[in-house]
Structure formats: structure tokens, C-alpha cells
């Protein structure tokens, strides 16, 4: 089985690349190497005979066609995207381009390629789109997202992912391209670019800086360890039904402020400078149109495919904190590339 994984130099994609190789698959990692990519994330497999890397932009049809032609994949796992909500407020057109146009190009190239395959490879081919629970919009105090929840995206990021999901479904219905979609909650774990909530808290705390919490910190998110997500994605690729959607979550929904306090408590155990770290928590202006609550009902993937998360949030946060403490060079090199951890995504009046 040879899997073409787009975005495999990013946070989740690299976890999928590492796990797919460990599981015995061959992998082609197609990535444009944007600001959030990091080839260090796949250094452990870079010399593996089952691994190949291709630097290409998913919006560049000729480049994507060449990757399909040269590597002849059996399946596509499409993760390449602009992924940070705050950046989508700063520059929404980048998200329209990468997430919508890029997905359309991937679908078109995959469609031509799939049509050219002989049986049984043609029937076995899969195009798996990796999406987010943010396409469903915000929940109130109660309820959970399911595969039937209507789309109601709020940010340019979630709207662009929703558009991509619609394109994938349309290519499935209109052209019979064999597609499957997953919508997952917030991921955390090693190798996450330090602009997202959990690595922001850890890396800023380790540097003795203030720990920004948006608004009053009462927004609720469900958290899933990235390796559990990678496991779920490979399970869906192998056994998911065509044209279906699977919601993936960690059954670990917590208020942001509580997650930040849990991280600070873990930091107090392993990073004695600047304790108690919670003293550095600073409430800052909220994100525009900040969705109040996300929670996932992941019973379909459990019932139909037997997948459940293995890593509890407390243990996963402890491991993640340790990883950032033990790998300061990883963050340092990102800082040296110009990442300054400044606040993004405030709409100017
Ligand atoms: P990331 O920003 O860490 O990685 C994205 C990768 O895509 C990078 O390596 C980047 O170079 C690549 N990329 C971006 N634009 C590209 C282009 N035009 N051509 C080729 N490569 C390009 O993001 P992530 O957090 O790993 O998210 C991966 C996917 O999972 C995204 O599709 C995201 O929407 C989805 N997702 C993320 C989360 C989460 O919590 N991070 C949750 C659910 C779904």
C-alpha cells in the first residue's frame, strides 16, 4: 500500500507519516513547506526505504500530477492546509487558496489518475479528506457534534475547510471518486507549531513570558492526542465506508482556562524556574467571533470501526509538556526562522 500524504511535514501529517511507515505502508509526503512545516518532524523516517518526500504546492496542478505519475499511489490522505484560525482572520485569501483551490486541484488530479487505474487498484483507491469539527460552528452549553450536524462555520479557516468538505462530497457524488471525510476535534502533542493554544502556553511559560488566554477562557474544546488522531485516520482509510463521514474526538472537552491550568501544573513539576507558572496567565482580548463550545460524539467510528482514543488528556498533556521541555532546540529553530509568537487575528476597527 502506497499512501500519498499531503501536508506530511506539518503537525498531524507528520504523525500520520510516522505511523503509516511504522505500520508497514509506503509513504509519499507531498508538502509545500510553508511556515508551519518542519522536516525535523519526519526526520525519524527520512532515510527509510518506504519514505519519499516531494516539495510541491497543492495548487500547482502540473506539480501534483507529476507526483501522482511518478509515485502511483494507492490512496491519498489530504491534510495540507492553512490551519490557524487567527491567521485566517489576518489573511483569509491564503486560506481560500490553499484549502479550497488546493483541495479542488487535488480532487481533479486524483480523479484523472483514478480513472486511469486498472482493476483491482481502481476499486481499492481512496481519497481521504482530513477535516475539522470547526465546520459545524459553535455549540451552546449542551449537545455534541455528530456526522449529521449541519455545517455552520464561523471563521475564514472553518469556512474554507467546510468548502473543501463540500467539494470532496461533490466529487464523490458527481464523478464517483471514492472519497471519505473525517472531522476531528483539537489535536495536541509533540511537534505542534507553537502558535496553537497548548504549545503557546508551554513554550511561552518555559521562556518566562506571559501566558495569553483569549477572553475569559470559558470556551470549551475537545482535545485529542495527535497519535490517537493518526491512528483513527489510518483506521478510516483502511476500513471506512465510501462517501461516509466520521467524527473523531477525544471525549475530553474542557474549558480553555482549565486546560491552561493543567499545563501550568505539569510545568511546575518539570520546569522549576518561574513557578508557579499559573501566575503568568494573562486574559487578553478575545478572538473575533470565538466559537463558544465544541464537543464530539465519536460513537460512529467506535461502533463501526472499533476505534477509541487511548491517551487521556492528563497523561497526554504531561507527555507533551515533557517533550517541549526536552526538545528546546525544536522550538528555538522555529524562533530563528522568524516566528515571534505575536498576537494575530484581531480585527482592527
Ligand atoms: P499544520 O499547519 O501543522 O500543517 C499543515 C501542512 O500543510 C504544513 O506542512 C504545510 O507546509 C502544508 N501546506 C500548507 N499549504 C500547502 C500547500 N498549498 N501545498 C502543499 N502543502 C501545504 O496543520 P495541522 O495542525 O497538522 O493540520 C493538518 C490538517 O488537519 C489540516 O487540514 C487541518 O485543517 C486538519 N485538522 C487540524 C486539527 C488541529 O487541531 N490541528 C484538527 C482537525 C483537523
Amino acid at each position: 500500500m502506497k499512501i500519498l500524504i499531503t501536508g506530511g511535514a506539518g503537525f498531524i501529517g507528520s504523525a500520520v507519516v510516522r505511523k503509516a511507515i511504522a505500520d508497514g505502508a509506503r509513504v509519499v509526503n507531498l508538502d509545500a513547506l510553508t511556515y508551519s512545516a518542519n522536516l525535523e518532524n519526519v526526520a525519524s523516517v527520512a532515510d527509510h526505504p518506504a519514505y519519499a518526500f516531494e516539495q510541491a504546492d497543492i495548487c500547482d496542478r502540473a506539480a501534483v500530477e507529476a507526483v501522482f505519475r511518478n509515485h502511483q499511489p494507492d490512496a491519498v490522505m489530504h491534510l495540507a492546509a492553512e490551519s490557524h484560525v487567527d491567521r485566517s482572520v489576518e489573511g483569509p485569501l491564503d486560506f481560500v487558496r490553499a484549502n479550497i483551490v488546493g483541495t479542488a486541484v487535488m480532487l481533479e488530479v486524483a480523479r484523472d489518475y483514478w480513472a486511469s487505474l486498472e482493476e483491482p487498484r481502481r476499486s481499492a483507491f481512496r481519497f481521504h479528506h482530513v477535516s475539522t469539527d470547526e465546520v459545524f460552528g459553535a455549540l451552546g452549553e449542551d449537545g455534541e457534534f455528530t456526522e449529521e450536524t449541519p455545517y455552520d462555520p464561523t471563521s475564514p479557516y472553518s469556512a474554507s475547510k467546510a468548502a473543501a468538505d463540500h467539494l470532496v462530497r461533490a466529487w464523490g457524488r458527481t464523478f464517483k471518486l471514492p472519497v471519505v471525510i473525517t472531522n476531528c476535534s483539537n489535536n495536541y502533542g509533540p511537534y505542534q507549531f507553537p502558535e496553537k493554544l497548548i504549545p503557546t502556553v508551554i513554550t511561552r511559560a518555559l521562556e518566562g513570558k506571559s501566558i495569553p488566554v483569549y477572553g475569559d477562557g470559558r470556551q470549551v474544546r475537545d482535545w485529542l492526542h495527535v497519535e490517537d488522531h493518526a491512528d483513527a485516520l489510518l483506521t478510516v482509510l483502511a476500513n471506512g465506508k465510501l462517501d461516509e463521514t466520521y467524527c473523531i474526538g477525544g471525549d475530553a472537552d474542557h474549558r480553555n482556562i482549565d486546560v491552561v491550568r493543567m499545563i501550568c501544573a505539569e510545568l511546575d513539576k518539570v520546569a522549576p524556574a518561574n513557578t508557579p507558572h499559573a501566575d503568568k496567565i494573562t486574559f487578553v482580548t478575545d478572538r473575533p467571533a470565538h466559537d463558544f463550545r465544541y464537543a464530539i460524539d465519536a460513537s460512529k467510528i467506535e461502533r463501526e470501526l472499533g476505534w477509541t482514543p487511548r491517551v487521556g488528556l492528563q497523561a497526554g498533556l504531561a507527555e507533551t509538556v515533557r517533550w517541549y521541555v526536552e526538545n528546546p532546540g525544536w522550538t528555538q529553530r522555529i524562533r530563528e526562522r522568524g516566528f515571534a509568537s505575536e498576537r494575530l487575528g484581531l480585527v482592527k476597527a
Side-chain angles (χ1 to χ4, degrees):
M1 171 88 157
K2 188 188 272 191
I3 311 171
L4 172 57
I5 299 175
T6 71
F11 166 52
I12 301 171
S14 66
V16 180
V17 168
R18 295 190 303 270
K19 177 150 177 55
I21 296 270
D23 289 354
R26 287 183 291 162
V27 166
V28 182
N29 175 5
L30 185 164
D31 199 297
L33 300 184
T34 70
Y35 79 95
S36 68
N38 193 336
L39 287 175
E40 288 184 46
N41 301 358
V42 283
S44 62
V45 297
D47 296 326
H48 197 289
Y51 174 79
F53 175 69
E54 295 280 359
Q55 182 169 2
D57 186 331
I58 54 168
C59 299
D60 179 345
R61 181 172 182 150
V64 175
E65 280 172 346
V67 173
F68 274 83
R69 196 167 52 244
N70 295 337
H71 291 281
Q72 301 284 311
D74 301 302
V76 174
M77 298 176 83
H78 177 40
L79 293 94
E82 289 290 338
S83 68
H84 188 41
V85 175
D86 290 346
R87 284 182 195 263
S88 83
V89 178
E90 297 276 324
L93 290 182
D94 294 341
F95 286 68
V96 170
R97 179 184 181 277
N99 301 0
I100 306 179
V101 177
T103 299
V105 169
M106 286 300 302
L107 287 164
E108 273 298 82
V109 176
R111 176 163 81 97
D112 284 352
Y113 169 78
W114 168 69
S116 75
L117 289 177
E118 305 280 345
E119 291 296 352
R121 292 188 70 211
R122 186 177 150 89
S123 296
F125 186 80
R126 293 285 177 278
F127 186 102
H128 177 175
H129 183 233
V130 177
S131 190
T132 166
D133 63 351
E134 300 192 28
V135 298
F136 300 125
L139 292 165
E141 295 284 353
D142 305 312
E144 292 182 321
F145 299 135
T146 73
E147 290 76 7
E148 275 73 50
T149 304
Y151 278 38
D152 188 19
T154 304
S155 70
Y157 165 67
S158 54
S160 69
K161 292 296 289 187
D165 287 5
H166 290 319
L167 291 174
V168 173
R169 277 196 193 94
W171 260 247
R173 289 177 187 160
T174 304
F175 305 113
K176 307 297 174 213
L177 184 70
V179 298
V180 63
I181 296 175
T182 49
N183 296 92
C184 185
S185 59
N186 281 24
N187 283 214
Y188 70 97
Y191 302 106
Q192 187 167 28
F193 193 86
E195 64 190 355
K196 305 276 169 62
L197 176 66
I198 287 178
T200 295
V201 173
I202 300 171
T203 56
R204 287 184 63 96
L206 289 174
E207 291 164 5
K209 295 179 179 157
S210 64
I211 300 172
V213 172
Y214 290 179
D216 57 11
R218 286 163 43 93
Q219 282 89 0
V220 175
R221 296 291 179 267
D222 174 55
W223 294 97
L224 181 68
H225 193 279
V226 67
E227 281 160 22
D228 274 334
H229 190 196
D231 184 40
L233 295 177
L234 288 162
T235 300
V236 169
L237 184 74
N239 300 318
K241 287 201 207 100
L242 289 186
D243 297 322
E244 295 274 329
T245 292
Y246 296 88
C247 283
I248 304 172
D251 199 16
D253 28 312
H254 293 273
R255 299 187 314 173
N256 287 343
I257 184 63
D258 297 332
V259 171
V260 171
R261 292 214 169 97
M262 286 166 80
I263 298 167
C264 288
E266 289 303 326
L267 281 161
D268 287 349
K269 294 179 201 162
V270 292
N274 308 313
T275 51
H277 289 91
D279 282 356
K280 287 280 173 38
I281 293 173
T282 311
F283 293 95
V284 299
T285 309
D286 209 351
R287 170 184 279 167
H290 200 178
D291 286 338
F292 174 58
R293 190 170 76 90
Y294 304 148
I296 288 260
D297 172 356
S299 56
K300 176 178 172 183
I301 185 171
E302 178 175 359
R303 196 174 53 247
E304 296 188 6
L305 306 181
W307 177 86
T308 47
R310 294 195 190 118
V311 185
L313 184 60
Q314 186 78 53
L317 285 179
E319 176 238 25
T320 304
V321 165
R322 263 197 317 278
W323 187 86
Y324 281 92
V325 169
E326 287 167 7
N327 293 279
W330 185 87
T331 311
Q332 182 56 33
R333 286 185 285 282
I334 289 172
R335 296 258 187 265
E336 284 162 10
R337 290 194 332 233
F339 175 68
S341 185
E342 78 272 26
R343 178 73 194 268
L344 296 174
L346 286 174
V347 177
K348 281 113 202 145

